[in-house]
Amino acid sequence: MDPITGIMVALTFIAVIATMILDGVHVTVLIQPAALMLIFVGTFGAASAGLMKSDMGLIMQGFKRAFTAPMPDASGLVDVIVQMADRARREGLLALEDMAKDVTDPLLKEGIQMTVDGSDADEIAEILELRVQAKKESDKVAISFFEGQGGYAPTLGVVGAVIGLIHALGNLEEVDKLGGMIGAAFVATLWGVLIGNAVWLPMGAKLKRLSGLEVKNMEMIIEGVLAVAAGTSPRMVEQKLRSSLPAGTGGKDKAAEAKAA
């Protein structure tokens, strides 16, 4: 689990609340059911209007992934592929069938199984690349949804402010309450801007980052499977795969160690 998104979202809210307190604004002004309903329900409705019914499951998964998904284990995948390359070089491709049973990554499992079955390298690459493309398209649904919410929330906040001002202007005779009504009119705007920029857009950015790393791993798996099928030496496979990984994921630093060894 990578808690950075939840921590940073909480930090943003703490900063906003602390600013309100330092400015002498009562935090309780944020608790306005009408504003909350407009921003949360209205934003969800607007962002969902462009989806298919079947997409809702992907949205729920995306919400969970944004806060709980761990960083993809690229280094661990390289280790498994290198072990397979070593065994295939010593015992032949058929020896990988037993190893494939213990592989948890579905793309690597499928690729190795096709290799063991004697599928052509071009066919293997084509099928696995289709899996990558399907992954990209699937991830776009949740990413677009949360980015959409990030755009709709501030706009609906302005709608809330207009509604509040209409209410205030309709009660000009109540001078003693006018200031409070005008102030309340902008609570929806505050919520819209805050939620859009502190929650929805960061979640979209997190999902986009996760998708990029996962797609990179899938592309690395394809390269590794093809290298194993071609009988490439384990050391060369490791150097090649680690050199393609982003820094901080077990990439170039371990590639250098492997080369030195």
Side-chain angles (χ1 to χ4, degrees):
M1 177 177 174
D2 185 354
I4 187 67
T5 300
I7 293 173
M8 292 300 108
V9 167
L11 181 63
T12 303
F13 275 87
I14 290 171
V16 171
I17 292 172
T19 301
M20 293 177 67
I21 294 173
L22 291 174
D23 283 345
V25 179
H26 291 289
V27 179
T28 53
V29 301
L30 294 175
I31 306 174
Q32 291 195 21
L36 293 171
M37 182 178 69
L38 176 64
I39 296 305
F40 285 93
V41 179
T43 299
F44 179 82
S48 299
L51 300 177
M52 305 295 291
K53 183 179 179 180
S54 58
D55 293 334
M56 299 310 297
L58 296 174
I59 301 305
M60 297 301 105
Q61 292 175 18
F63 190 93
K64 181 179 179 180
R65 276 164 47 80
F67 289 100
T68 63
M71 185 173 184
D73 182 17
S75 182
L77 284 172
V78 172
D79 291 339
V80 173
I81 294 172
V82 170
Q83 291 171 12
M84 289 182 168
D86 180 60
R87 186 166 180 180
R89 197 99 184 266
R90 290 185 289 103
E91 303 177 29
L93 291 175
L94 291 178
L96 299 180
E97 189 166 13
D98 290 337
M99 294 185 71
K101 296 176 182 178
D102 298 326
V103 173
T104 57
D105 187 280
L107 189 73
L108 179 56
K109 190 181 189 74
E110 183 178 13
I112 291 301
Q113 190 60 58
M114 286 191 292
T115 300
V116 171
D117 292 341
S119 300
D120 182 74
D122 290 337
E123 292 178 345
I124 294 174
E126 183 180 0
I127 293 173
L128 297 187
E129 283 167 3
L130 287 174
R131 300 279 188 259
V132 175
Q133 188 60 38
K135 163 72 173 172
K136 291 179 180 179
E137 294 300 319
S138 176
D139 289 346
K140 282 180 183 179
V141 175
I143 293 170
S144 298
F145 175 80
F146 290 112
E147 289 180 342
Q149 287 208 123
Y152 292 129
T155 304
L156 286 174
V158 173
V159 172
V162 172
I163 294 173
L165 288 175
I166 290 173
H167 174 68
L169 293 173
N171 294 274
L172 289 176
E173 69 279 0
E174 300 181 36
V175 179
D176 56 329
K177 298 181 181 179
L178 195 58
M181 286 189 287
I182 293 175
F186 290 97
V187 172
T189 303
L190 173 59
W191 271 114
V193 174
L194 178 59
I195 293 298
N197 290 279
V199 180
W200 304 137
L201 290 178
M203 286 178 65
K206 176 65 172 291
L207 291 175
K208 187 179 291 185
R209 173 64 171 154
L210 273 173
S211 178
L213 289 173
E214 290 168 350
V215 166
K216 185 67 177 176
N217 278 8
M218 294 175 79
E219 292 172 344
M220 181 265 294
I221 286 172
I222 295 174
E223 190 173 2
V225 168
L226 295 178
V228 171
T232 307
S233 72
R235 179 174 296 184
M236 183 60 66
V237 170
E238 182 172 16
Q239 290 180 8
K240 189 174 183 180
L241 296 185
R242 292 202 187 280
S243 296
S244 69
L245 297 180
T249 60
K252 296 177 178 56
D253 50 348
K254 290 191 177 182
E257 293 176 8
K259 187 174 182 180

